[in-house]
Amino acid sequence: MPATIIIGGQWGDEGKGKITDALAERAHMVVRPNGSTNAGHTVVTDQGVFKFHLVPSGVLHPGCDCVIGAGVAVDPVQLLNEIDALRERGVDLSRLFLSDRANVILPYHPALDRAEEERRATHSIGTTLRGNGPAYSDKVGRKGIRVADLLDEAALRDRLELVVPEKRLLLAGFEDDATLDVAALAEQYIALGERLAPLVVQAEILVQDALAAGKRVIVESAQATMLDVDYGTYPYVTSSMPTAAGACQGAGIGPTQVDTVIAVYKAYTTRVGGGPFPTELHDETGQMLRDRGNEYGTTTGRPRRTGWFDAVAGSYAARLNGVTEVAVTKLDVLDTLPEIRICVGYRLDGKAIEAPPAVASVYGRVEPVYEVLPGWQADTSCATSVDDLPPNARRYLERIEELLGVPVTMIGVGPDRQQILHRPTGAAV
Ligand code: IMP
């Protein structure tokens, strides 16, 4: 049975956790392929609100295996805290697995993240300061420490002896030496490795065996296409590859083993941190979206920047990821608006351009071309089927569908698990 990939179509926080949770009901396995504790996936259930950073959102379904794949950068302290907090709330974690190849975030990674942001000053990326960028830099620089190293004291000491002196140089003047003592780090991380050991597996084999046995596998990507290190608003991006291709790599599957790529989009746009955002609103409507949408970061609590739906960036993401289905979340946030704008084109220096430009400062100069649609000014949060939606809400979704060129099959109308409207491919909105 081929796998399903869930990715973000914008700049993150689209509600991927909610969509994964909804689909995980029928899945045997959910794999998290990328990102680190920088990610925050929220799921609202009868038992309350769950915020996941590293643990896949499928964990709330008892029959579902949850796998943290090789492409994830794992902070063991954060992972164990997350596991303890979930256990306290009665969540069964006996089916949680961790790849032995996943890279580890050590205390010097957040320290380097802070130092790097401070050095960049006015050009700071606005990272989550979780050490994500420095950990992925070490990984591709072949200086990373991986989960398997935490299970082998001699190997760990050897790796630390090699990398810590360099970190000491990079952090001179920024941090005290507490994060840079090889013996202390080795002792602490071997102890953490012992606690993680029961979860550690060759995750790619587990995933491949599940696919070979005809099990339903969902790959739940973190972050989003416009934050991708190649195709996003570089350098205002994350350091991993949150595309469908990146999800394959991080989960240990090939493109021929996937038949469904679901891109999740908010009915409007948000982003956190710096970088271009052509449809950003700095007015009352922007504040209304922030308030009604509760647009504050799951990981950092930062207020998110808000704006209209950007169908140019959206269709770019749909094409790059070979998206087969779209989920539109938070439609209800737009319920009070008399009219709604969609960005249907970009203009740069007076000329129409088709796709996001490569240089961030150029992207920052792009002017959005808007189409104005009538609002519906009615409550959509109690809709239980697409037929319950007001005609103008359906028109708005149809227009998004046309612009993205991909069918909208799921619509979120509120934070709760039940507030998702399903629509079979091909049915009218
Ligand atoms: P980093 O991933 O912490 O290095 O941050 C790089 C950029 O990605 C910053 O603009 C962050 O705000 C953004 N980012 C990272 N993780 C998320 C996320 O889960 N949601 C939204 N933005 C994110």
Side-chain angles (χ1 to χ4, degrees):
M1 162 126 8
T4 293
I5 293 178
I6 298 176
I7 51 130
Q10 297 163 312
W11 278 275
D13 307 311
E14 297 93 348
K16 296 177 288 294
K18 181 184 161 85
I19 299 298
T20 305
D21 171 67
L23 297 179
E25 209 167 24
R26 286 177 287 125
H28 299 106
M29 179 180 276
V30 176
V31 189
R32 172 75 188 276
N34 65 332
S36 65
T37 32
N38 56 353
H41 290 178
T42 306
V43 179
V44 182
T45 74
D46 302 346
Q47 286 87 51
V49 180
F50 290 84
K51 292 185 188 229
F52 302 106
H53 297 288
L54 284 162
V55 173
S57 308
V59 78
L60 299 176
H61 296 280
C64 193
D65 288 348
C66 285
V67 180
I68 301 173
V72 178
V74 176
D75 182 331
V77 178
Q78 301 277 348
L79 175 58
L80 288 163
N81 285 346
E82 200 171 330
I83 289 173
D84 289 345
L86 287 168
R87 271 212 186 103
E88 260 171 45
R89 292 178 72 179
V91 177
D92 173 18
L93 289 151
S94 60
R95 304 174 81 121
L96 177 66
F97 302 97
L98 169 62
S99 168
D100 54 359
R101 291 170 192 263
N103 272 249
V104 175
I105 295 189
L106 283 107
Y108 49 76
H109 290 124
L112 285 164
D113 207 349
R114 285 192 294 274
E116 173 87 10
E117 284 287 85
E118 212 175 302
R119 265 193 211 113
R120 284 177 186 262
T122 52
H123 291 86
S124 72
I125 308 288
T127 75
T128 59
L129 300 177
R130 296 295 192 270
N132 190 66
Y136 280 106
S137 302
D138 275 1
K139 169 180 167 167
V140 295
R142 296 162 295 188
K143 290 177 279 190
I145 285 171
R146 307 204 293 182
V147 167
D149 297 323
L150 304 187
L151 308 182
D152 180 333
E153 190 163 352
L156 178 63
R157 273 180 197 280
D158 222 42
R159 300 288 294 156
L160 287 169
E161 298 282 3
L162 191 77
V163 295
V164 168
E166 181 210 52
K167 308 304 176 204
R168 217 173 268 135
L169 288 177
L170 290 170
L171 285 168
F174 283 101
E175 291 286 316
D176 61 38
D177 279 352
T179 56
L180 298 167
D181 181 287
V182 170
L185 282 175
E187 194 182 334
Q188 185 189 358
Y189 279 79
I190 283 297
L192 290 166
E194 273 167 23
R195 287 192 61 200
L196 289 175
L199 317 181
V200 179
V201 291
Q202 270 196 283
E204 66 282 12
I205 302 297
L206 204 68
V207 175
Q208 284 299 331
D209 286 349
L211 287 169
K215 294 188 175 171
R216 268 178 216 273
V217 175
I218 294 176
V219 184
E220 175 196 23
S221 181
Q223 286 86 41
T225 309
M226 297 310 289
L227 289 171
D228 178 73
V229 72
D230 291 310
Y231 299 106
T233 44
Y234 191 88
Y236 299 95
V237 292
T238 192
S239 297
S240 63
M241 292 168 294
T243 53
C248 283
Q249 173 72 5
I253 60 177
T256 52
Q257 294 179 298
V258 179
D259 72 347
T260 307
V261 178
I262 303 174
V264 187
Y265 295 83
K266 242 176 238 187
Y268 47 99
T269 309
T270 64
R271 86 171 288 177
V272 258
F277 181 179
T279 63
E280 183 167 13
L281 289 166
H282 297 282
D283 58 6
E284 277 171 21
T285 307
Q287 188 56 41
M288 183 284 287
L289 293 174
R290 189 171 303 110
D291 293 340
R292 275 182 65 86
N294 189 25
E295 298 297 353
Y296 295 89
T298 311
T299 301
T300 59
R302 289 181 291 179
R304 295 181 185 139
R305 299 159 65 192
T306 54
W308 299 116
F309 188 87
D310 182 341
V312 180
S315 65
Y316 180 69
R319 293 175 75 188
L320 290 182
N321 290 294
V323 171
T324 59
E325 292 179 37
V326 162
V328 175
T329 60
K330 293 190 153 188
L331 184 71
D332 57 303
V333 172
L334 306 180
D335 281 354
T336 58
L337 288 170
E339 54 180 38
I340 301 169
R341 289 174 174 226
I342 299 186
C343 169
V344 295
Y346 284 167
R347 289 188 80 77
L348 180 66
D349 302 329
K351 288 196 196 103
I353 56 165
E354 235 183 78
V359 178
S361 58
V362 176
Y363 200 173
R365 289 195 286 115
V366 154
E367 287 167 42
V369 178
Y370 287 116
E371 197 172 280
V372 183
L373 275 83
W376 44 93
Q377 296 189 286
D379 181 11
T380 56
S381 67
C382 41
T384 54
S385 85
V386 173
D387 296 338
D388 295 339
L389 292 175
N392 283 350
R394 281 188 263 162
R395 201 166 143 197
Y396 182 66
L397 292 167
E398 266 163 23
R399 190 64 185 125
I400 288 180
E401 184 170 87
E402 268 168 26
L403 290 162
L404 298 183
V406 184
V408 173
T409 57
M410 278 173 280
I411 301 138
V413 290
D416 213 78
R417 216 177 205 179
Q418 278 77 40
Q419 290 175 297
I420 295 185
L421 315 178
H422 292 270
R423 172 183 170 238
T425 318
V429 181

